[in-house]
Amino acid sequence: MKEKFVIEEWHEGHSRWHEFLSCLKIAAPEQEPFVIGEYYRAFQSYLLVALQFNKVVGFLRFAVQPIGPEAKCPPLYKNGVQLTEAKIHAFAVIENARKQGIGTALQKQAIYRAKELGCYQLASYSSYGREANYHIKLSLGFGAQPEVHGDNSQGVYFIMPLQDKRKWL
């Protein structure tokens, strides 16, 4: 029987940061530029790490950014308030730790933290063929919008509204 896991929030100065980097290289090396490169540094970012048997087995990194500019649009405002989103830039669980609820727990913690940070929504993009990721997001209530990018790559843009709609009425 697998040990339960814990989710922690880490920063780059964390004493075990190198363990996270090892997990990244094993679980999702293609996501490395979105986690340790310059891509995410324009905005405040957060790293959630899943530990099982005190070993890093998964992660989720998101940044808080204004809604609009990433899509080359002006920032979006409501009642004079600039809206922000928590945008997931990287998410993975190592293969032998999957199907234990770790990915779902990471997504739920991201929803919780994004709400705490006052984000209007949580957003995530995933290329086609990532069925486990799709299942998690759809089961949590994310909306889905298929997209084709300029290079003809296909994927799905997921959005989770976070703000109480009554607050804006």
Side-chain angles (χ1 to χ4, degrees), residues 11-27:
H11 53 84
E12 287 188 45
H14 194 281
S15 62
R16 296 175 62 188
W17 184 256
H18 65 283
E19 294 175 46
F20 156 67
L21 293 177
S22 294
C23 178
L24 171 64
K25 288 180 192 311
I26 292 167

Side-chain angles (χ1 to χ4, degrees), residues 40 55 64 75 92 138 152:
Y40 75 93
K55 179 182 173 194
V64 175
L138 294 173
N152 285 328

